[in-house]
Amino acid sequence: MPRRPRAIIVERRLPGERPHLDELRALAEAAGYEVVGQLEQVREPDPRYQIGSGKAEELADMVRQLEADVVIFDNELKPVQAYNLAKLTGVEAIDRFQLILQIFARRASTREAQLQVKLAALRYELVRAKEKVRLAKMGEQPGFMGLGKYEADIYYEMIRKQIATIRRKLERMRKKRQLHRKRRKKIGFPVVSLSGYTNAGKSTLFYALTGEYVQISPSLFTTLTTTTRMANFAGRVALLTDTVGFIDRLPVVLVEAFKSTLEETALSDVIILVVDVSEPLDEVERKLGCCLDTLAEIGADKVPKVAAFNKIDLVGEGELSWKLDYLSKMVEDPIPISALYGTNLDALASRVSELLPGYVKAKVVLPLCGEAYSLASWAMDNMRVLEASYEPDKVVLVVEGLEPVVGKLIGRAKEIGGEASPEPSP
Ligand code: GDP
Ligand code: MG
């Protein structure tokens, strides 16, 4: 695995404001950074560095000692602040907005989502364009590279034109948007998505549920990414995806980009909605409500959902029971778990398995020919092959998978003179 870029996270806040560093850390990790340090300061914003200049010096020392590649601020950075910080620390300084953009860019799986993300990035750049060019002319710094060669007005115009072009493209796409159902069912396994707010414990649950090794074929393996893996839900194999989470205080400019990256969630067969139940009840209620509303808005309301109430290790028994009681008005039968300690994950897995679409089992006998081998390898990629025996005159497969995919295998087997029959799955 390539080395992840090393980040130091920073927050300046006013007295009495609640800290956001835990959330910022989870966001940084979702964007692929390794968080190697953190710094916080309670004070008024400083025009020069956002944090005070003494703190900024401290940050520069940390960057050197921890060999950081980037500093990430929870606060919005003005171009001049980003510039001064880059100059002082020697590395690029980005803010929460840019961090969220990077997460979306990593996860944008459709052309439309990619364009939405690009649009949001350009709109962010447009309002900063002229000042960034002026700053870069005083000496280029990380984050300001290549800008010094432009005239401010020309750079601004260039971005404005790119924005207009992307807007036109998106408009055209909206007009002839054929529902993206095409992409689904290419793969023979059902897809289970993890959804929920940043810091709810999605990634922790992802690793807990996929930690057990599930054998898959090498070519299927290449279609999996770091955020999609095979998981075994009470004996049923499915793909589990750790999706872009919901993000608190999401800048308005990012709402469209966020929704288009949620598409993968709308296309899944089951959604596990992860909720941090250790937060105050009104907070839990607000977040849960917002997840449910947004999922409905993007057309995922028909997808079966399981609410996983996470971090029960942090909640007393009495508190848990009244919270569960109250929240079960919003979702049916939430399952209390601790992803970190592996508590009650069996109950969660078996609920998911009940909601997965129907599987069928089949025994398929293929007469030996070139086609038989390619069909067998296609089966390996698209369903669970429970048995495969290669005999002198035939290949015998026992498979289990989604009905349409197994049906397709049976059809092809018969076409090449084989025999096949489905049998109900246990
Ligand atoms: P994500 O942003 O939803 O992917 O959240 P993460 O999986 O990154 O978890 C956020 C933080 O919550 C991490 O510090 C986890 O260690 C912690 N966490 C996750 N699950 C649990 C849990 O069941 N109990 C406790 N105490 N902490 C948890
Ligand atoms: Mg995560």
Side-chain angles (χ1 to χ4, degrees):
M1 207 164 113
R3 169 182 176 275
R4 284 183 294 158
R6 296 159 69 85
I8 296 175
I9 55 174
V10 185
E11 178 182 34
R12 183 212 49 79
R13 61 177 181 275
L14 297 174
E17 256 187 295
R18 77 177 173 90
H20 299 108
L21 278 173
D22 282 349
E23 191 222 31
L24 189 63
R25 176 181 295 265
L27 287 174
E29 280 167 3
Y33 293 104
E34 181 187 353
V35 178
V36 294
Q38 67 177 56
L39 193 74
E40 53 195 318
Q41 187 177 35
V42 177
R43 61 161 284 162
E44 300 288 320
D46 179 281
R48 194 148 168 219
Y49 295 112
Q50 176 64 238
I51 48 179
S53 18
K55 267 287 176 213
E57 293 285 354
E58 201 180 305
L59 179 62
D61 284 341
M62 279 176 81
V63 166
R64 275 188 293 275
Q65 269 161 26
L66 301 169
E67 295 177 22
D69 304 298
V70 64
V71 294
I72 304 174
F73 273 67
D74 192 74
N75 316 85
E76 184 181 330
L77 292 176
K78 297 207 163 65
V80 66
Q81 291 168 331
Y83 185 87
N84 291 336
L85 284 162
K87 195 169 174 188
L88 186 70
T89 62
V91 298
E92 187 176 6
I94 66 168
D95 60 17
R96 186 173 181 271
F97 187 99
Q98 288 165 290
L99 180 64
I100 295 173
L101 265 181
Q102 291 179 1
I103 297 173
F104 289 174
R106 273 164 71 96
R107 300 297 183 80
S109 55
T110 61
R111 181 79 184 125
E112 181 175 357
Q114 285 158 1
L115 287 174
Q116 291 284 9
V117 173
K118 189 86 206 290
L119 178 63
L122 288 167
R123 287 176 65 188
Y124 179 91
E125 186 73 3
L126 186 71
V127 286
R128 290 164 178 76
K130 290 185 184 176
E131 196 183 350
K132 281 181 77 169
V133 169
R134 277 194 289 272
L135 288 162
K137 287 196 186 301
M138 305 194 305
E140 292 188 337
Q141 297 296 342
F144 292 77
M145 294 301 186
L147 290 178
K149 68 173 190 280
Y150 288 103
E151 286 313 315
D153 289 338
I154 289 173
Y155 184 62
Y156 180 89
E157 264 315 298
M158 199 174 87
I159 292 187
R160 210 186 50 77
K161 282 197 184 119
Q162 285 175 13
I163 290 177
T165 309
I166 291 182
R167 283 223 161 98
R168 274 198 302 277
K169 279 188 190 156
L170 280 167
E171 196 51 45
R172 276 202 300 275
M173 290 173 98
R174 245 192 297 271
K175 277 186 186 138
K176 60 168 188 189
R177 175 200 261 155
Q178 354 143 328
L179 255 132
H180 26 255
R181 301 285 157 188
K182 261 201 310 194
R183 207 166 56 97
R184 87 180 304 185
K185 298 297 171 251
K186 253 197 208 155
I187 211 158
F189 296 96
V191 177
V192 177
S193 289
L194 288 167
S195 193
Y197 272 85
T198 307
N199 216 36
K202 294 181 301 299
S203 301
T204 309
L205 185 58
F206 177 76
Y207 291 111
L209 291 174
T210 59
E212 185 191 337
Y213 178 71
V214 179
Q215 197 174 3
I216 45 166
S217 74
S219 60
L220 176 59
F221 184 78
T222 59
T223 71
L224 301 182
T225 62
T226 48
T227 53
T228 299
R229 285 193 187 171
M230 288 299 223
N232 191 329
F233 295 97
R236 290 182 148 191
V237 172
L239 293 169
L240 182 67
T241 300
D242 184 8
T243 68
V244 173
F246 286 77
I247 297 172
D248 241 336
R249 301 176 290 142
L250 185 70
V252 181
V253 187
L254 288 175
V255 170
E256 283 310 309
F258 170 65
K259 284 192 186 154
S260 52
T261 58
L262 269 186
E263 196 163 83
E264 55 182 339
T265 311
L267 293 175
S268 50
D269 296 283
V270 176
I271 296 172
I272 303 177
L273 196 52
V274 186
V275 179
D276 178 353
V277 80
S278 74
E279 292 192 296
L281 183 61
D282 57 345
E283 189 74 356
V284 181
E285 185 184 11
R286 176 182 69 81
K287 288 184 174 173
L288 182 57
C290 186
C291 287
L292 292 170
D293 290 349
T294 312
L295 289 174
E297 223 177 288
I298 58 153
D301 46 342
K302 303 282 186 312
V303 182
K305 282 176 216 60
V306 187
F309 283 3
N310 190 31
K311 309 199 186 179
I312 56 167
D313 55 289
L314 299 177
V315 184
E317 229 167 85
E319 181 185 344
L320 181 63
S321 98
W322 64 255
K323 274 182 168 169
L324 279 177
D325 206 40
Y326 182 86
L327 295 163
S328 48
K329 276 182 241 153
M330 304 176 73
V331 279
E332 253 176 73
D333 302 325
I335 302 194
I337 61 159
S338 168
L340 192 60
Y341 295 102
T343 315
N344 219 20
L345 298 188
D346 289 348
L348 178 65
S350 77
R351 170 69 65 73
V352 172
S353 81
E354 287 162 18
L355 296 173
L356 286 172
Y359 279 46
V360 288
K361 230 174 153 177
K363 184 172 176 180
V364 181
V365 182
L366 307 168
L368 212 54
C369 58
E371 185 86 358
Y373 286 108
S374 62
L375 210 49
S377 90
W378 178 80
M380 301 277 181
D381 289 346
N382 287 283
M383 60 200 78
R384 201 172 178 196
V385 177
L386 301 169
E387 282 172 51
S389 55
Y390 293 82
E391 290 167 26
D393 56 338
K394 62 188 184 212
V395 180
V396 182
L397 302 174
V398 178
V399 299
E400 184 181 54
L402 293 175
E403 201 278 321
V405 190
V406 173
K408 193 170 164 193
L409 175 67
I410 292 173
R412 291 291 297 128
K414 287 186 175 159
E415 275 169 39
I416 61 168
E419 293 163 32
S421 54
E423 36 187 280
S425 200

